[in-house]
Amino acid sequence: MLRAIGRIVTAFALLTGVSAATLAAAAPARAAWSDAHQVTVTRTGGFAGVNERYEVSAGTVHVYTANLLATVGTREFRRLCPAYPAGTGADRFHYTVTVTYRSGVTKTVSTEDGAEAPELLWQVIDMTMQISRDLAPIS
């Protein structure tokens, strides 16, 4: 069955003038984005001028780690703009999300409280911070 599908794809590629090398070269580009390895959120600012860093990697043992890494590997996340500013205002928290993929490709998105950023970005920020807080030692 798989051989038959492979033959059909090859025949289609030959008929349309697309070489197998072109098809093979396109596959790694997609894989580079889909394999998220690490998510880092930095939160700065606010009234007290905080500077906090939250990090979740593929090795982080938490019930939501796989969900977070899958979310930042989606096409919707990859299409986010680099920045979602809120405009003027004092004492706001500023967030920078940096995702590193196994290929070495990174995606960075920044926003701040009060910005009209997509809900997906806020979900990634919240999930990353929650996982990090859940795993932080109690002092």
Side-chain angles (χ1 to χ4, degrees):
M1 180 69 171
L2 289 177
R3 281 188 193 175
I5 293 172
R7 288 181 187 156
I8 292 170
V9 170
T10 302
F12 179 77
L14 290 173
L15 288 172
T16 59
V18 177
S19 71
T22 303
L23 291 174
R30 283 192 303 259
W33 281 106
S34 64
D35 200 10
H37 174 67
Q38 181 173 307
V39 181
T40 304
V41 172
T42 56
R43 182 171 80 155
T44 59
F47 178 73
V50 302
N51 187 1
E52 301 170 333
R53 179 182 171 102
Y54 304 90
E55 189 172 286
V56 175
S57 69
T60 303
V61 179
H62 192 277
V63 68
Y64 295 120
T65 299
N67 188 23
L68 173 63
L69 295 177
T71 300
V72 297
T74 62
R75 180 173 294 167
E76 291 78 16
F77 184 83
R78 295 188 319 256
R79 289 183 175 170
L80 292 177
C81 295
Y84 295 92
T88 59
D91 301 330
R92 294 180 184 198
F93 283 114
H94 302 269
Y95 302 89
T96 302
V97 178
T98 303
V99 179
T100 305
Y101 300 88
R102 291 197 190 278
S103 66
V105 173
T106 60
K107 167 80 175 172
T108 302
V109 183
S110 299
T111 192
E112 56 193 5
D113 286 339
E116 290 188 26
E119 183 60 30
L120 177 64
L121 179 58
W122 293 115
Q123 289 172 356
V124 168
I125 291 168
D126 292 341
M127 211 178 330
T128 304
M129 292 173 59
Q130 186 61 50
I131 292 169
S132 294
R133 287 178 180 150
D134 287 351
L135 300 175
I138 299 172
S139 45

